[in-house]
Amino acid sequence: MLKIWSMKKEQQKADNADAAGGKKKKVTAAQLRVQKDLSELSLGSTMKTEFPDPDDILNFVLEIKPDEGMYQGGCFTFTFAMSANYPHEPPKVRCQQKIYHPNIDLEGKVCLNILREDWKPVLNLNAVIVGLQFLFLEPNASDPLNKEAAEDLRSSRDQFKRNVRTTMNGGSIRGERYDVVLMSAKN
């Protein structure tokens, strides 16, 4: 038992010396949880993650390229930012393009219930990514951020589809110009 205590004291001394010398960074609980979440991600061929700063896993970019649905052929990027309180607080997620979608406003804010009131620490990044993917398959007109797009979806699904196609090519709806996100239009 005495040997364990002396080993623990030696380890603490080494840790303190490393910290004083600036050698060893302290890993936070949020970083550990994000690392676990990232290791468990099951991204299909339509998604990929990028880390602008490889030393900062709390901030990354997710790219989604839907291969079915109304948004098929588009390329959408989302920034993820986790606070030091993750997983007790949900990640902050923003779309980087101005797109025509009932659940994503013109500033890129995303309306997904698990990013707000339904967030629980047992949820992980995979749940958020699946939720984002689902928004492209089934836009939700009953809980909108972009009320005009939601109203279009409710009143005429066919017209909504045409508006999605127009805006994915960089077109305008009601005087609002949208970003080109259609991969064939970018080339």
Side-chain angles (χ1 to χ4, degrees):
M1 183 73 160
L2 217 47
K3 187 174 184 177
I4 293 172
W5 284 109
S6 63
M7 287 173 58
K8 186 173 181 179
K9 284 183 182 179
E10 289 298 319
Q11 181 62 46
Q12 284 177 334
K13 282 182 189 176
D15 288 350
N16 290 342
D18 286 346
K23 290 181 186 174
K24 194 174 183 182
K25 289 183 181 176
K26 191 107 170 127
V27 178
T28 67
Q31 289 170 319
L32 288 172
R33 174 59 189 273
V34 169
Q35 193 167 20
K36 178 183 182 292
D37 285 2
L38 290 171
S39 72
E40 294 173 351
L41 277 183
S42 54
L43 298 178
S45 61
T46 61
M47 294 180 284
K48 72 176 184 179
T49 54
E50 291 178 25
F51 293 85
D53 178 356
D55 293 330
D56 181 9
I57 65 169
L58 297 181
N59 295 284
F60 66 92
V61 176
L62 172 74
E63 183 179 270
I64 300 178
K65 296 178 179 176
D67 60 357
E68 56 185 300
M70 291 181 238
Y71 293 89
Q72 180 178 356
C75 181
F76 307 92
T77 53
F78 293 86
T79 55
F80 278 65
M82 272 70 64
S83 74
N85 291 329
Y86 181 81
H88 300 288
E89 290 178 5
K92 302 237 183 299
V93 179
R94 269 188 128 67
C95 183
Q96 296 305 292
Q97 294 83 18
K98 186 191 289 188
I99 65 172
Y100 179 78
H101 194 292
N103 310 110
I104 300 171
D105 72 12
L106 300 178
E107 286 83 46
K109 294 183 203 131
V110 178
C111 182
L112 191 60
N113 61 339
I114 62 171
L115 290 175
R116 300 183 330 232
E117 71 275 358
D118 290 344
W119 177 259
K120 293 173 181 44
V122 297
L123 293 172
N124 59 20
L125 292 174
N126 203 53
V128 175
I129 291 170
V130 167
L132 288 173
Q133 199 174 23
F134 190 71
L135 285 180
F136 287 112
L137 289 173
E138 284 297 323
N140 181 0
S142 63
D143 187 20
L145 277 179
N146 182 333
K147 293 182 185 345
E148 290 177 348
E151 184 54 42
D152 291 345
L153 178 57
R154 277 193 293 268
S155 63
S156 171
R157 192 167 181 88
D158 288 337
Q159 182 58 47
F160 178 78
K161 279 184 183 178
R162 284 192 293 275
N163 288 350
V164 167
R165 279 305 189 216
T166 298
T167 58
M168 285 176 64
N169 275 306
S172 297
I173 302 287
R174 295 183 195 92
E176 190 72 51
R177 180 159 295 283
Y178 293 84
D179 291 342
V180 175
V181 294
L182 205 55
M183 288 184 289
S184 62
K186 288 181 174 183
N187 298 334

